[in-house]
Amino acid sequence: MQSKLIDLHGRTIDYFRISITDLCNFRCIYCRPAEGVPLVSHSDILRYEEILRIAKVAKNLGMRKVRITGGEPLVRRGVLDFISRLVSETGLEDVALTTNGSKLQDMALSLRKAGLKRVNISLDTLRRDCFRSITGADELYRVLKGIEASLDVGFDPIKINVVLLKGINERDVPDFARLTIDKPVDVRFIERMPFGAEIPPPNSPDSFSAKDTLKIIESAFGKLNPVERSKLDGPATMFKLDGALGQIGVIDPVSGHFCGKCNRMRLTAKGFLRPCLLNPLEIDVRTFLRTSPDDSQMESFLEAAVLMKPASRFSNIEKIDVGMNTIGG
Ligand code: SAM
Ligand code: SF4
């Protein structure tokens, strides 16, 4: 089927990142504003039924992949049933989840049974103290158990996302790279994006670059072997250490430019479509959902939103005054 979701710059938009909550059990220093997040009334958050309706309409227009995110998606009540319905009722090719991993030890098996095939886990350090100072939670052990549980139930691929934090986790880079040797996990290092809503340096650090990360790995392990891109890699450039089971990737939203290939649209937990992560434009789909029961009108709404996708990101992302927990990472 020819996709109907093609923007004014010729990009086919087939990847929908849906935030189901802006609540989170962690307080990562680079994600949540210093003063905390304003409480959102329950009625302002999209109901699962409403998200399913948008996802079905989007799928009929050509959306192929949905990633569930947040806040922390696994803290929202009813998430297992929701994912099961998302998989079985929409017919989407690919449903994925991004999580901080803290609940996976208990939920991995149920998520697998609900039909989820793959998972991204965010983890920035393998040291307990450092983990606590980044997230505000003493839960490194639980996250590591969550990764084990994900391997046990057969999620494939399992991607571990590491945000690069200058002066904080450079020394974890070789240990993360080593993880890929004997575990079938892909570790992806991501430059930290300096959204304006967060705690300014020095309490919330700058990024170090994807390039420097590769240098750290090569000086510890020798030359990295480039891996041909697969369609699951998104904007990551992938490598492999000799004989490793998993891969290593770098994503450079700060130093690199991948707007020209962007295939994404976001839906915030409050029901706003965000055509570009790094642009403050948001379109209120919640009011539309709650006033128009007509799915053909919803189709036109989504098509119009895709046409509003900017050609490239806002040049001054420090001015974007919300964090990823609100936008949906
Ligand atoms: N709570 C879940 C988690 O942590 O995986 C899902 C939501 S979180 C907002 C999604 C991803 O965004 C995480 O991998 C997190 O590390 C990343 N993230 C948050 N703020 C970021 C920033 N300023 N720069 C780069 N990545 C960021
Ligand atoms: Fe929560 Fe994820 Fe943001 Fe950390 S990165 S505060 S776990 S939403």
Side-chain angles (χ1 to χ4, degrees):
M1 180 192 99
Q2 173 73 33
S3 175
K4 294 196 179 144
L5 299 178
I6 299 177
D7 76 0
L8 287 175
H9 313 282
R11 298 169 296 192
T12 300
I13 309 308
D14 57 8
Y15 179 9
F16 209 6
R17 293 176 76 108
I18 299 180
S19 170
I20 60 170
T21 180
D22 47 15
L23 297 178
C24 187
N25 52 341
F26 287 3
R27 300 273 171 278
C28 298
I29 48 177
Y30 49 80
C31 179
R32 296 175 78 88
E35 65 282 5
V37 284
L39 265 185
V40 179
S41 116
H42 190 60
S43 60
D44 284 346
I45 297 291
L46 287 189
R47 295 188 289 275
Y48 285 136
E49 209 58 56
E50 293 171 326
I51 301 174
L52 285 166
R53 181 174 163 214
I54 301 184
K56 280 178 201 164
V57 172
K59 153 77 174 56
N60 291 339
L61 290 170
M63 199 66 84
R64 289 185 313 107
K65 169 172 171 183
V66 165
R67 173 171 299 283
I68 300 304
T69 181
E72 174 47 44
L74 297 185
V75 302
R76 180 160 174 186
R77 201 178 304 158
V79 64
L80 288 170
D81 184 51
F82 164 68
I83 288 179
S84 163
R85 291 186 63 192
L86 188 65
V87 172
S88 63
E89 293 178 19
T90 59
L92 279 156
E93 232 173 82
D94 187 0
V95 175
L97 171 84
T98 296
T99 170
N100 63 26
S102 60
K103 306 257 172 219
L104 276 177
Q105 188 183 358
D106 303 326
M107 295 177 75
L109 185 57
S110 311
L111 284 163
R112 193 79 181 90
K113 286 184 179 158
L116 193 74
K117 295 198 183 82
R118 57 207 205 83
V119 70
N120 285 8
I121 302 167
S122 308
L123 176 62
D124 304 326
T125 176
L126 294 164
R127 291 169 292 127
R128 183 176 173 184
D129 282 358
C130 185
F131 184 94
R132 200 169 31 209
S133 61
I134 294 172
T135 64
D138 188 12
E139 302 210 12
L140 173 62
Y141 183 71
R142 288 187 66 77
V143 177
L144 295 176
K145 286 280 180 200
I147 294 173
E148 290 302 329
S150 302
L151 285 162
D152 288 347
V153 303
F155 285 129
D156 182 26
I158 296 171
K159 296 183 184 176
I160 299 179
N161 289 340
V162 183
V163 177
L164 300 170
L165 304 167
K166 200 174 193 164
I168 294 194
N169 64 359
E170 284 97 332
R171 57 188 270 212
D172 291 287
V173 169
D175 291 333
F176 274 116
R178 195 168 292 112
L179 265 189
T180 66
I181 295 179
D182 47 28
K183 291 196 196 303
V185 296
D186 292 350
V187 173
R188 305 183 319 159
F189 297 97
I190 304 174
E191 289 176 355
R192 179 233 198 233
M193 291 172 279
F195 290 114
E198 304 143 34
I199 311 168
N203 294 326
S204 177
D206 282 336
S207 193
F208 53 103
S209 71
K211 240 192 208 151
D212 287 344
T213 307
L214 294 176
K215 279 191 204 148
I216 298 174
I217 299 172
E218 292 199 321
S219 67
F221 297 95
K223 190 124 190 65
L224 278 161
N225 309 304
V227 172
E228 211 173 299
R229 295 177 68 79
S230 100
K231 68 175 187 186
L232 294 182
D233 292 334
T237 310
M238 301 301 295
F239 302 88
K240 204 165 183 166
L241 291 171
D242 280 340
L245 295 177
Q247 301 182 3
I248 291 170
V250 286
I251 304 181
D252 53 359
V254 180
S255 65
H257 301 281
F258 38 71
C259 301
K261 292 197 197 120
C262 183
N263 61 346
R264 300 171 180 199
M265 170 73 81
R266 287 180 157 79
L267 176 65
T268 70
K270 284 196 269 184
F272 288 77
L273 289 167
R274 192 165 175 120
C276 169
L277 167 64
L278 299 178
N279 185 301
L281 169 70
E282 290 192 336
I283 305 153
D284 177 4
V285 70
R286 184 182 67 203
T287 307
F288 187 82
L289 264 171
R290 292 180 181 176
T291 50
S292 169
D294 180 345
D295 279 353
S296 66
Q297 283 185 4
M298 171 64 72
E299 284 190 5
S300 310
F301 192 98
L302 287 181
E303 285 173 315
V306 163
L307 294 180
M308 291 167 83
K309 189 170 166 74
S312 60
R313 66 184 215 191
F314 212 47
S315 52
N316 200 347
I317 58 179
E318 292 81 0
K319 293 259 155 57
I320 297 177
D321 66 353
V322 289
M324 284 282 262
N325 70 302
T326 304
I327 303 168

